[in-house]
Amino acid sequence: MITLKQHSILPGFNLALGFTLVYLSLIVLIPLSAAFLRTAELTWPEFWSIVTTPRVVASYRLTFGASLAAATVNVVFGLLVAWVLVRYHFPGKKIVDALVDLPFALPTAVAGIALTALYAGNGWIGQFLEPLGIKVAFTPLGIFVALTFIGLPFVVRTVQPVLEDIETELEEAAATLGANRLQTFMRVIFPVIFPALMTGFALAFARAIGEYGSVIFIAGNMPMVSEITPLLIITKLEQYDYAGATALSVVMLVISFTLLLIINLLQWWSRRRSSKT
Amino acid sequence: MMVTSTFPVLPQTSIQRATQEPNWVRWLLIALAFAFLTLFLFIPLISVFYEAFKKGADVYLAAITDPDALSAIKLTLTVAAIAVPLNLVFGVAAAWAIAKFEFRGKNLLITLIDLPFSVSPVVSGLIYVLVFGLQGWFGSWLAEHDMKIIFAVPGIVLATVFVTVPFIARELIPLMQAQGTEEEEAAVVLGASGWQTFYKVTLPNIKWGLLYGAILCNARAMGEFGAVSVVSGHIRGSTNTMPLHVEILYNEYNFAAAFAVASLLALLALITLVLKTLIEIHNKKNLKERGEK
């Protein structure tokens, strides 16, 4: 260990790192490796046929589509909320700022039943949409609503600190050079916050892909129509189809790890961008 | 309509700064942000409490004092009381190693600590079934020794610990990195032992960060649904946590009771947000005072 670590007079390195590694291995790494090792017991054609059946492919399409749509909406409105919270003053601002984190703190099952009750045909919001022929609860649209809710804080919280740090001198310079407000925003502010915006998008998207609790109540869960991939894993598990559930979970893990890598790259880019300006 | 008027009413508003939007743009943006937040945040939050009390306080009280509900509340509190301290110790150990020392593979370690955040809750539960379930690695051994982890409380604790691993560590690591090592080094040079240094120097510096992380960790531990749902087995009165109890009641069309239990969880979320905001305000004040000195 001596060669791996720079000298320090502080004690406790071996104990702290040793405990960290043992804990992480027992709680996270060994159980996670179980998914990969159990899947390795399948042959490649077996694995491939499990993860590409039409019902499974339909669930990928739905999970990705709804997550993408929800994360996109969150980019637009997340930027708007972050902008309003950083730049403007209005009564109740502190409370609104604190409540933005509600989707992080509210258990997903509670969000799920609340949204379902609101968007059902007789719910507060559903009763106005029903006559227009828009059905939200128990359709893919409902999944989009739930995923928008749980992804809401990500873009706001990644963009907010970057907006706070922008020096007004830049904007003043743009204004003196004859730019109007929209031009200043598009040419000066937007490039600075763009990496943070993308990070927020990726975080919201990654969270949405794996989300289960808030979605299953509102989705209706019809195979081929409104069945998300995490639910399909549970369904397979309940039918004692361990191989199927494990194969699907490996697909989800690979997607998660890829997204994690992308998010790390985006955050690195974001830090570099903001340290340059 | 002040809002849409382009003609200034008061003289001072007639001077529009070059780095500000016109008033009507401001109000339009604020209104749009409010509309979005109202639709996706405020209304869902209010509706939980409305649905919970719709049938009156008696129904509400009956729902949350039902023996199955009480046992779910007890289990949720027990699970959090185990998971949060475990991750607290882990968070401190990980942050001590990462923030106070330079070693190879540090970035990889930080990524590994964050890993549970990117795993779907359902997968988080499933992996424990693969290890401890009847079909799992240790399944037959556990069955022989008459021990149960999956579909029992230990499985619920494990799945909860998994999903909440990063909370405290990721709060402490940047905080302790920013504080550097000078104070601890001074203590060690002056003859303090390792534990003395930690208790008297490090702990007072990180206590607010520790509390902040613990509050967020607790909220997730009490509210976790997907991972716990996979390993719980949904046995009423025994392996049902509060979120799972909400699901069962809801699926039985007992909406008033489901929302009553849900309202307790929503209250927990609100308390979490209040405490979180209070700590943030406290930290900002502290930072200012230090800056003034």
Side-chain angles (χ1 to χ4, degrees), chain B residues 183-195:
Chain B
E183 290 184 34
E184 279 86 0
E185 279 164 358
V188 169
V189 169
L190 291 171
S193 75
W195 290 112

Side-chain angles (χ1 to χ4, degrees), chain B:
Chain B
M1 287 294 283
M2 266 280 288
V3 177
T4 49
S5 161
T6 49
F7 298 102
V9 182
L10 296 165
Q12 61 258 41
T13 54
S14 65
I15 308 158
Q16 194 207 315
R17 291 181 51 185
T19 53
Q20 278 178 349
E21 290 76 48
N23 263 337
W24 69 269
V25 173
R26 292 165 159 249
W27 287 110
L28 182 71
L29 292 179
I30 292 175
L32 272 174
F34 255 92
F36 175 71
L37 292 176
T38 305
L39 195 62
F40 279 96
L41 274 187
F42 306 147
I43 293 182
L45 180 64
I46 294 164
S47 79
V48 173
F49 293 99
Y50 172 80
E51 297 279 344
F53 286 102
K54 201 161 71 173
K55 293 204 172 143
D58 295 344
V59 177
Y60 182 85
L61 278 177
I64 58 170
T65 52
D66 172 77
D68 287 342
L70 286 177
S71 119
I73 294 170
K74 209 176 118 197
L75 180 60
T76 292
L77 293 175
T78 313
V79 170
I82 302 170
V84 175
L86 278 178
N87 283 327
L88 198 79
V89 174
F90 167 76
V92 171
W96 181 264
I98 288 169
K100 302 292 177 189
F101 300 92
E102 289 304 322
F103 57 94
R104 258 199 251 176
K106 195 193 244 186
N107 285 331
L108 179 68
L109 185 60
I110 296 175
T111 309
L112 287 180
I113 291 173
D114 266 349
L115 212 52
F117 273 163
S118 55
V119 175
S120 168
V122 170
V123 178
S124 312
L126 173 83
I127 55 175
Y128 284 100
V129 176
L130 295 178
V131 176
F132 297 113
L134 214 51
Q135 314 277 319
W137 283 344
F138 302 113
S140 47
W141 186 87
L142 286 168
E144 272 168 30
H145 292 77
D146 213 26
M147 279 189 276
K148 241 184 146 186
I149 291 184
I150 299 305
F151 304 144
V153 175
I156 297 175
V157 173
L158 278 173
T160 307
V161 170
F162 178 95
V163 295
T164 53
V165 158
F167 278 98
I168 295 166
R170 71 159 17 183
E171 211 51 60
L172 288 185
I173 293 167
L175 179 68
M176 282 167 72
Q177 275 176 332
Q179 285 169 352
T181 55
E182 283 101 356
E183 290 184 34
E184 279 86 0
E185 279 164 358
V188 169
V189 169
L190 291 171
S193 75
W195 290 112
Q196 278 177 323
T197 309
F198 176 74
Y199 277 118
K200 304 231 162 125
V201 178
T202 312
L203 201 57
N205 278 337
I206 61 167
K207 61 180 182 213
W208 289 103
L210 211 57
L211 189 63
Y212 191 90
I215 287 166
L216 297 186
C217 182
N218 178 64
R220 180 72 195 266
M222 290 191 172
E224 178 52 29
F225 178 75
V228 170
S229 160
V230 175
V231 295
S232 128
H234 305 269
I235 306 158
R236 271 188 173 211
S238 134
T239 63
N240 234 359
T241 62
M242 285 169 79
L244 297 178
H245 194 58
V246 169
E247 184 198 18
I248 288 188
L249 292 170
Y250 189 86
N251 287 342
E252 286 171 349
Y253 301 102
N254 194 350
F255 295 138
F259 276 101
V261 179
S263 75
L264 294 179
L265 289 166
L267 197 64
L268 167 78
L270 287 178
I271 293 170
T272 303
L273 291 183
V274 169
L275 291 176
K276 183 176 165 292
T277 310
L278 287 179
I279 296 176
E280 280 165 6
I281 292 171
H282 174 271
N283 282 349
K284 242 184 217 160
K285 229 192 246 164
N286 251 10
L287 217 64
K288 247 191 207 161
E289 275 168 20
R290 254 180 227 181
E292 277 162 12
K293 274 178 199 169

